[in-house]
Amino acid sequence: MSLPYFDAAQVRARAPWRAAVDALAAALRHDVDPEQDGPRVFSPAPGGEFLLMPASGARYSGVKALTVAPGNPARGLEKIQGVYVLYSSDTLAPVALLDGTELTAIRTPAVTLLAVTRILAATPGGAPEDPSVLVFGAGVQALNHLRAAHALLPGARLGVVGRSEDHVRALVETLAAEGVHVEARTAADVGTADVILCATTSTTPLFDGAAVAPDAVVAAVGQHGLDAREVDAALVHRSDVVVEGRASALREAGDLIPARSAEEWQRIRPANLRDLVVDGIARTPGKPCLYAGVGMAWEDLVTAAMVYEGGTIP
C-alpha cells in the first residue's frame, strides 16, 4: 500500500488560518455535533503514553495517533509526536497520512480564533477595531496563536507573557522575521487586554481573574485534564462561559471544574461551539466571556480532510 504523506510544510500550506477557521465553522453548521465527539484514549507507552483521537464523518474518518514523552525535551526532542491517518468513510480504507503534530499546531489556534472572533462580535457596544491581544505561553501553541490572531484580527496589538525571557525573546524574533510585531508583556497587563489567550501547560492559574477587564474575552486552551488550571475560579464565576463541547468539558476542563461542580455545569448548560456558530451568543454587559477548550477529535478530522482535498473546504 502506498499512501500520500503530507509533511508539516504541506499541512501548513494547505490549511491557512482563515480557510481553516471557515472549514471548522462550515462543519459545525452542517455536519458536526460536538456532543457526539468521542473521548480521547490514553494508553501506557515506554517513558510516556499513547494518545489516540478517533473521529468519523460522512465522507472521511480518521484517527490521530500521538505519543507523549515527557523526557524528550531534555534530549532535544519533541515531547509530542505523531501522525494522522485519514480514511474513506465509504470503504474504511486509509487514503492519506499527515504530520499529526503540525495538524494539532494549526487546528488548535484555528478553533480558538473561531470562538474568539464570534464572541468579540457579540461584545456589547461592538468589538474593538484594534483589540489588544495578550497571549500567555512561549511554546509552539503560543507562537501559532499569535500567528492566527495576526491573520484573523487585523489591526490587533499583540503581546506575549512567558516564564522564560529567552523563550519569549526567541518567539518575538521569530514572528518579527515573519512581519508580525509582538511585544513582551507581563501578567500585570491583563487588565488592559481585550483578548487573553492562554496557551500553556500550567496547573495553576496564570493571573488574577478579578483583574480581567469587563467585556474582555479569555480563552483557556493550553491543555486538557481536570488537574489543569490556567484561569482561577474568580474569573469563571464572573464570566459568561462557552465550551467546545459540554461533554468534553465535564471530562477534561480543569479550568471549569472544580470552580463549579459537574452538576452545576449540567444545570447551567453553557453554549458550545456549535451553538456559538449557528445561533451566536448574547453576552452579559459588563461581564468577561471565558472560552474553555480541551481539543477534540472532530477538529483534527475536518482539518485533515481539508489538507487532503488541497486546501478547499470539504
Side-chain angles (χ1 to χ4, degrees):
M1 180 183 295
S2 178
L3 295 176
Y5 177 73
F6 297 90
D7 63 19
Q10 291 170 309
V11 170
R12 182 166 295 279
R14 287 171 172 243
W17 297 115
R18 191 166 295 280
V21 169
D22 288 346
L24 292 160
L28 287 163
R29 282 194 296 268
H30 302 299
D31 303 311
V32 170
D33 178 358
E35 303 310 326
Q36 300 303 313
D37 201 54
R40 71 188 89 220
V41 179
F42 298 90
S43 182
E49 63 183 350
F50 292 107
L51 174 57
L52 306 177
M53 297 179 67
S56 59
R59 294 177 63 188
Y60 299 104
S61 295
V63 59
K64 186 166 69 176
L66 300 180
T67 56
V68 183
N72 270 4
R75 303 165 63 186
L77 301 172
E78 295 294 329
K79 177 182 176 181
I80 300 175
Q81 303 178 73
V83 297
Y84 194 88
V85 186
L86 187 68
Y87 297 83
S88 161
S89 290
D90 180 37
T91 64
L92 291 185
V95 296
L97 295 173
L98 298 85
D99 184 299
T101 306
E102 189 67 17
L103 187 70
T104 305
I106 291 171
R107 65 83 155 146
T108 305
V111 173
T112 302
L113 270 294
L114 168 64
V116 167
T117 52
R118 280 158 175 75
I119 295 169
L120 273 177
T123 301
E129 292 184 2
D130 57 345
S132 171
V133 178
L134 191 64
V135 175
F136 280 81
V140 170
Q141 281 297 344
L143 175 67
N144 282 302
H145 274 79
L146 284 160
R147 286 170 170 155
H150 174 72
L152 292 159
L153 295 171
R157 293 165 286 125
L158 306 176
V160 61
V161 181
R163 290 179 298 179
S164 165
E165 290 185 7
D166 290 342
H167 290 171
V168 168
R169 187 181 304 109
L171 181 150
V172 169
E173 291 173 354
T174 295
L175 289 172
E178 300 173 8
V180 180
H181 177 69
V182 179
E183 295 183 356
R185 299 290 182 84
T186 72
D189 293 308
V190 296
T192 60
D194 300 301
V195 177
I196 302 168
L197 307 179
C198 305
T200 75
T201 57
S202 179
T203 57
T204 57
L206 300 168
F207 50 83
D208 179 2
V212 173
D215 300 330
V217 180
V218 181
V221 298
Q223 62 174 323
H224 56 269
L226 294 181
D227 59 348
R229 302 281 186 277
E230 291 189 293
V231 301
D232 61 16
L235 180 65
V236 175
H237 292 157
R238 64 182 287 244
S239 297
D240 295 326
V241 174
V242 177
V243 297
E244 263 175 315
R246 287 178 285 273
S248 62
L250 290 176
R251 289 192 300 265
E252 298 186 335
D255 289 306
L256 301 183
I257 300 170
R260 297 188 191 277
S261 69
E263 291 74 20
E264 286 180 284
W265 287 118
Q266 288 171 327
R267 288 196 298 271
I268 293 169
R269 192 177 168 81
N272 67 20
L273 266 182
R274 190 172 193 276
D275 299 329
L276 182 63
V277 169
V278 174
D279 301 320
I281 181 175
R283 295 190 57 184
T284 306
K287 276 192 173 186
C289 185
L290 171 65
Y291 168 72
V294 298
M296 300 181 72
W298 70 265
E299 301 157 357
D300 295 309
L301 176 58
V302 170
T303 310
M306 178 185 176
V307 170
Y308 177 63
E309 296 205 341
T312 58
I313 298 174

